[in-house]
Amino acid sequence: MIGSGIFSISGNQAATVAGPAVIISFVIAAIVCVLAAACYAELSSTIPVSGSAYTFSYVTFGEMWAWLVGWALVLELVTAAAIVARVWSAYFLATLDGFGVTLPAGVAKFFGPNAEVNLVAPVLLLILTALIVTGTKLSARVLTVVVIAKVAVILLVVIVGAAHINMANYHPFVPMARAAPATASPTLLGWILDSSFGSFGIMGIFTAASSIVFAYIGFDLIATASEDARSPRKTVPQGMLLGVGAVTILYIAMAVVLVGMRPYGKLGGSAPVSEAMAAVGVGWAAKVVNLGALLALMTVIMVVLIAQSRVLFNMGRDGLLPKSLGRVSRVYSSPARAAAAAGLAALALTLYPKVLDLEELLVIGALFCFAFCAIGVLTLRRSEPNLERGFRVPMVPLIPLLSLGATLWLMLNMKTSTWTKFGIWMAIGLAIYGLYGRWHSRLANEDSWDFDIGDTDPGTGGLQAIRPDPNELRAVRTPPHEQHKPSRGKHMRN
C-alpha cells in the first residue's frame, strides 16, 4: 500500500487540484477504503480462495459478472505496475543526483518518468517478474525487510519535517476554485450537471480524493493470495483492516507535514517529498527519502505482480483465459506462467510514454471492484445467511450501502475521458468473453473437463464445494486420483 501514492501523488494533487486541503482528501479516501475493506474482509473470510473480487463475484453473481470484475482487476493491476515502475525511475534519478552521480544528458533522457523511451522501468519489471516466477517465499522475505525500511522512512519524514513546518503554508487551506481550461476533460458529475468545476475549491477536494484512492489500493490485493495464507479466514481480514488503519495514520501525518514544509504550488515535482526536504535544508533526509521511495515502490510492484498472477491463475483455472495460466509450475511451485504473463503485460504498458496519465484508469478499475464487493456482502447475507464467516461487517445493510454510495460518488468525480477509456476496456473484455471465455469456461464444458488430459494442473487438482456442515462453505483442492469420475471438473459455484 505504501508506494507512489504517498511519495508522488500527494504532492501533485496538492499542487494542481486541492491545495493544503489535500489533507481532507486523504481523510475522505481513507473513509471510502475503510468501508470497502470491511466488505472485502467479510467476503474473504467467507470465501477463502485466491482471486479477490473476481472469486467473490464468481460465487455471488456468476460467471459473466465475475469476468467483468476480473477484467477490471487486470486493468487495475497492470496499470499500477506500469505506472509505479515509471515513478521508480524518477526516484532512481533523484537518488543518483543526491549522491553526486550525474548522468550524461544523452543517457538521462532514457531514465526519466516521462521519457519517450524509458530503459529503467522495463529492466526493473523484468527483474521483479523473474523473482516472482521463482516462488513467493523469496519474495516474501524481501518484502518483509523492505516494508520495515519504508515505514521507517515515512516516520523519519514526519519527525524531521514537523520541525520545519511553516504555518503560513496552510493558508488558504481551501484555495479559491479555478475554472477548468477549455481543453480540459470535465468530471462525469460536471458533465451530468453541465457544469465545469475546475480545480481547487470544495469540489477540488473530492476530485483529489478520487485520485488519492490510488494511495490506499493494496488492501484488496491481500485477498488475491488467500490460498498462500495458513489461516485465511482469520489472517486475511486482519491484514486488510489493520493495513488500512496503519497507512491511514501514516498518510495523514505525512500529508500534514508535506504541505506544511513547502507552499502547495511548489509540490508538483517528480519527487515531491525529497524535493520538499531539500528545500527546507535537510538534504541528508532527502537522500534517505529517495532510497526509501526506491524500496517502497519496488515492493508495490512486487505485490501488484503477485496479485495479478493470482487473478490470471484463477481465470485460467476457470477456463475464462487459456488453461495454461491456471497451472502451478512443478519446478517453482508457483503459478509461473500467470506471473510471467502479468510481468510482460506491465512491461509492455510501461513502454507507453504517457502511462502516468492513466492513473485515474487504475483507480476506476479498483472502485468498480469495491462496488461489487459491497453488493456481494448484501447478496450473500440474503442468499446464504448461515455460512461460516470469520469476519462480519457490522450494521448491515448500512455499512455496505455507505461503501457503495461513497464508491459511486468518487467515481462520479472522475474525468469523462477516464470513463471513456474504461468503457472501451470493458467493451473489449465483453468481446473476449463472448468469443472465447463463454465457450471455453469450466462451467460450459463441465462434462468434458478432464484432469487426465491436462485441463488443470495434475499437482493441484480441481476446486470442489465441500459442505460437511450445512452452515459451512469451504473450497478445497484435491488431487485427481482422489476424485470420483462424476465429480471431475465440478466448479466451486456448483
Side-chain angles (χ1 to χ4, degrees):
M1 293 173 70
I2 299 174
S4 62
I6 191 62
F7 287 104
S8 178
I9 292 176
S10 54
N12 293 330
Q13 291 297 315
T16 61
V17 182
V22 74
I23 299 168
I24 306 300
S25 301
F26 269 96
V27 174
I28 293 172
I31 292 171
V32 173
C33 290
V34 166
L35 295 173
C39 296
Y40 266 86
E42 174 165 326
L43 291 175
S44 64
S45 71
T46 310
I47 311 165
V49 184
S50 68
S52 189
Y54 163 74
T55 303
F56 305 155
S57 300
Y58 206 124
V59 174
T60 307
F61 304 111
E63 183 181 88
M64 189 188 77
W65 291 110
W67 166 261
L68 290 176
V69 172
W71 193 240
L73 267 176
V74 170
L75 173 68
E76 172 193 343
L77 298 174
V78 170
T79 308
I83 289 175
V84 177
R86 282 269 182 162
V87 175
W88 191 91
S89 69
Y91 274 93
F92 182 72
L93 274 179
T95 302
L96 291 179
D97 290 340
F99 287 96
V101 179
T102 303
L103 296 176
V107 176
K109 69 178 183 179
F110 296 111
F111 282 52
N114 297 306
E116 288 292 323
V117 179
N118 188 301
L119 298 179
V120 177
V123 171
L124 175 66
L125 287 171
L126 276 177
I127 294 172
L128 296 183
T129 299
L131 188 65
I132 293 164
V133 165
T134 55
T136 57
K137 188 172 293 186
L138 176 60
S139 303
R141 293 193 185 105
V142 175
L143 284 170
T144 300
V145 174
V146 173
V147 166
I148 293 172
K150 69 182 182 181
V151 170
V153 167
I154 289 183
L155 293 176
L156 174 71
V157 171
V158 172
I159 294 171
V160 174
H164 295 83
I165 289 178
N166 181 355
M167 297 303 294
N169 291 333
Y170 294 116
H171 301 286
F173 189 72
V174 182
M176 292 290 293
R178 301 177 189 174
T183 57
S185 175
T187 64
L188 182 61
L189 183 63
W191 178 76
I192 293 173
L193 300 178
D194 194 23
S195 174
S196 178
F197 295 117
S199 57
F200 300 106
I202 298 299
M203 293 307 299
I205 297 174
F206 290 102
T207 303
S210 297
S211 295
I212 286 172
V213 168
F214 174 82
Y216 291 89
I217 290 174
F219 72 86
D220 53 320
L221 307 186
I222 299 173
T224 62
S226 290
E227 291 180 28
D228 297 80
R230 289 193 179 96
S231 304
R233 289 191 188 278
K234 178 182 178 182
T235 58
V236 171
Q238 284 179 345
M240 289 180 181
L241 297 173
L242 293 176
V244 172
V247 300
T248 296
I249 295 171
L250 290 173
Y251 284 179
I252 293 175
M254 193 163 179
V256 170
V257 170
L258 182 62
V259 174
M261 281 195 297
R262 202 176 191 195
Y264 70 88
K266 298 181 179 180
L267 294 174
S270 59
V273 178
S274 61
E275 291 169 5
M277 299 297 284
V280 296
V282 282
W284 64 269
K287 296 177 184 179
V288 176
V289 169
N290 287 333
L291 287 174
L294 287 179
L295 295 174
L297 299 178
M298 184 179 70
T299 62
V300 171
I301 298 171
M302 291 177 69
V303 171
V304 165
L305 290 178
I306 291 172
Q308 178 69 290
S309 69
R310 297 313 189 266
V311 173
L312 295 177
F313 172 74
N314 276 273
M315 296 175 82
R317 193 162 61 179
D318 293 334
L320 297 177
L321 288 175
K323 297 172 187 175
S324 59
L325 295 176
R327 295 175 184 160
V328 175
S329 168
R330 295 177 183 274
V331 178
Y332 302 116
S333 298
S334 68
R337 295 183 184 181
L344 292 175
L347 190 153
L349 184 58
T350 202
L351 294 175
Y352 175 53
K354 297 183 179 179
V355 68
L356 295 181
D357 296 339
L358 302 180
E359 172 195 312
E360 276 199 359
L361 201 57
L362 178 161
V363 176
I364 198 172
L367 293 176
F368 184 79
C369 297
F370 289 4
F372 265 84
C373 285
I375 300 171
V377 169
L378 297 174
T379 302
L380 273 187
R381 283 289 186 98
R382 187 183 69 253
S383 62
E384 299 283 354
N386 297 320
L387 286 181
E388 178 190 356
R389 290 170 168 84
F391 173 84
R392 299 178 70 91
V393 176
M395 294 185 288
V396 172
L398 178 61
I399 297 299
L401 288 176
L402 285 175
S403 176
L404 179 62
T407 298
L408 294 176
W409 172 254
L410 288 188
M411 293 176 79
L412 286 173
N413 280 277
M414 306 193 85
K415 298 175 183 176
T416 53
S417 58
T418 300
W419 275 95
T420 301
K421 294 171 185 173
F422 182 67
I424 293 172
W425 174 259
M426 298 308 285
I428 293 172
L430 279 174
I432 294 174
Y433 175 74
L435 296 173
Y436 179 89
R438 180 182 177 188
W439 308 105
H440 293 81
S441 72
R442 183 177 293 191
L443 285 182
N445 300 277
E446 196 167 11
D447 294 335
S448 62
W449 199 281
D450 198 327
F451 295 101
D452 297 333
I453 61 173
D455 281 343
T456 192
D457 185 79
T460 59
L463 284 174
Q464 297 181 48
I466 306 298
R467 290 179 182 270
D469 184 312
N471 297 326
E472 181 180 13
L473 172 65
R474 291 189 298 115
V476 301
R477 200 181 280 121
T478 55
H481 65 271
E482 295 180 11
Q483 300 183 56
H484 300 295
K485 183 67 177 178
S487 66
R488 283 183 176 171
K490 296 291 286 183
H491 192 275
M492 182 173 64
R493 179 169 173 77
N494 288 26

